[in-house]
Amino acid sequence: MARRSGSFSSITEPFRSFWHRFAYGLLILGAFALMVLGKADVVLVERARIAIADATTPILTFLSHPAATVSDLLQQGRELRDLRAENARLREQNERLMQWQVVARRLEAENRTLRSLTDFTPEPAATFVTGRVIGDSGGPFVRSVLINAGTRQAVAKGQAAMTGQGLAGRVAEVGYQHARVLLLTDLNSRIPVVIESSRDRAILAGDNSDRPRLLYLDGNAKISPGDRVVTSGHAGAFPPGLPVGVVISVSDHDIRVKPFVEWHKLEYLRLVNFGIRDAAESDPGLRIPAP
């Protein structure tokens, strides 16, 4: 056996030495021959490439399975890690919500008791219609928008116009298929409001700027930037508690409010009927004369 192994090695030794010596040149010649063949017979080379690809595809597919399996396992591991963190966050949030639920139930029970003691009359259920803004300004109103909803959709003058952020204005004119909403910032707008923290009453007056003013505040009122402003419900214009804005600046003669509504993003308005008649119709003293 040793002789045969040695004799075979002695036979193949010249070929191996020849290959080692001229391998680089043979490879270059082979590549050049393939290039010439590809130029001479494109169809043959294309068929050969397709055949080789078809033959090696099962092998590559088989070899790729372990890599894909490892990748899937790693992905599942990452997902499990993220799920654990998410579950921990949700459990913490759920605990907080349960605490708030207990507080809300206690407050609800107290409200029911107080309402029964004071013979409280509940407010009528509110209904609403959502309309799209189809036009800006017009007529005597500088800061107003046109909505594609009118008496056909049960829209009435005096209804509150709201967005997801808060009160935007009130319906000033109504047609069969449209309504004009007078915005809080218009010169003709006057809204009874209250400072949410101190309960000081005032009138939010527009002046055609983006920051309406607070008028008729009590001299002893303590107002600070950051105080929330909500509707007071007085004069029957709006129900109490509708979010209006936040005090942004306070000076000796001027208090400005930044409305919650983002005017540059005003696309849709919800016209809400709180069951309250138009204040201008019920009380002539609230009518604002045209400038």
Side-chain angles (χ1 to χ4, degrees):
M1 296 295 293
R3 286 182 179 179
R4 291 183 178 178
S5 177
S7 61
F8 180 77
S9 299
S10 62
I11 294 174
T12 58
E13 183 64 28
F15 295 100
R16 282 186 294 177
S17 61
F18 177 80
W19 174 256
H20 289 163
R21 183 176 301 176
F22 301 102
Y24 186 71
L26 291 175
L27 289 175
I28 293 177
L29 290 176
F32 182 74
L34 288 176
M35 292 175 59
V36 174
L37 182 61
K39 295 294 184 180
D41 194 345
V42 178
V43 177
L44 178 62
V45 174
E46 182 71 21
R47 290 178 180 176
R49 186 170 63 249
I50 293 175
I52 294 172
D54 289 338
T56 56
T57 295
I59 301 175
L60 295 176
T61 302
F62 176 77
L63 294 176
S64 66
H65 280 308
T69 303
V70 173
S71 178
D72 292 340
L73 291 175
L74 293 176
Q75 181 64 25
Q76 291 177 4
R78 287 191 293 267
E79 291 178 355
L80 287 175
R81 181 196 59 192
D82 295 340
L83 284 176
R84 290 177 180 176
E86 182 70 12
N87 287 336
R89 187 185 65 82
L90 290 176
R91 280 195 294 267
E92 182 182 355
Q93 184 178 4
N94 187 49
E95 292 177 359
R96 291 199 302 268
L97 291 176
M98 292 298 295
Q99 295 174 1
W100 280 110
Q101 185 181 34
V102 173
V103 175
R105 287 178 176 175
R106 185 175 69 249
L107 292 176
E108 183 181 6
E110 292 178 358
N111 285 335
R112 283 199 301 265
T113 303
L114 292 174
R115 289 175 178 177
S116 63
L117 292 175
T118 59
D119 193 20
F120 176 77
T121 302
E123 298 178 355
T127 59
F128 66 89
V129 174
T130 301
R132 183 168 56 88
V133 176
I134 58 176
D136 295 334
S137 303
F141 305 119
V142 177
R143 296 295 181 96
S144 65
V145 293
L146 203 64
I147 307 297
N148 64 342
T151 55
R152 182 180 180 182
Q153 291 79 21
V155 176
K157 186 178 180 180
Q159 292 180 354
M162 303 190 66
T163 66
Q165 292 80 28
L167 185 67
R170 62 183 299 178
V171 178
E173 296 176 354
V174 185
Y176 182 65
Q177 293 183 342
H178 80 281
R180 184 169 294 280
V181 174
L182 183 69
L183 301 180
L184 298 177
T185 55
D186 189 89
L187 183 64
N188 298 293
S189 176
R190 298 292 187 272
I191 305 295
V193 296
V194 63
I195 306 301
E196 191 175 46
S197 57
S198 64
R199 312 310 296 176
D200 291 310
R201 301 176 187 176
I203 296 293
L204 184 72
D207 58 357
N208 293 341
S209 69
D210 292 334
R211 303 291 184 263
R213 298 178 297 165
L214 286 180
L215 303 179
Y216 309 119
L217 270 167
D218 186 84
N220 297 323
K222 296 181 179 180
I223 310 298
S224 302
D227 290 343
R228 282 172 53 92
V229 179
V230 298
T231 56
S232 64
H234 293 89
F238 298 106
L242 298 182
V244 175
V246 61
V247 176
I248 192 173
S249 65
V250 178
S251 63
D252 294 336
H253 305 288
D254 194 25
I255 299 176
R256 294 284 175 171
V257 174
K258 177 183 178 182
F260 290 127
V261 178
E262 298 178 353
W263 306 112
H264 64 285
K265 297 182 180 179
L266 202 61
E267 296 184 36
Y268 294 91
L269 282 176
R270 178 177 295 177
L271 309 180
V272 188
N273 180 13
F274 292 101
I276 302 175
R277 292 186 303 165
D278 182 17
E281 296 293 337
S282 60
D283 189 351
L286 291 176
R287 295 180 181 176
I288 307 299

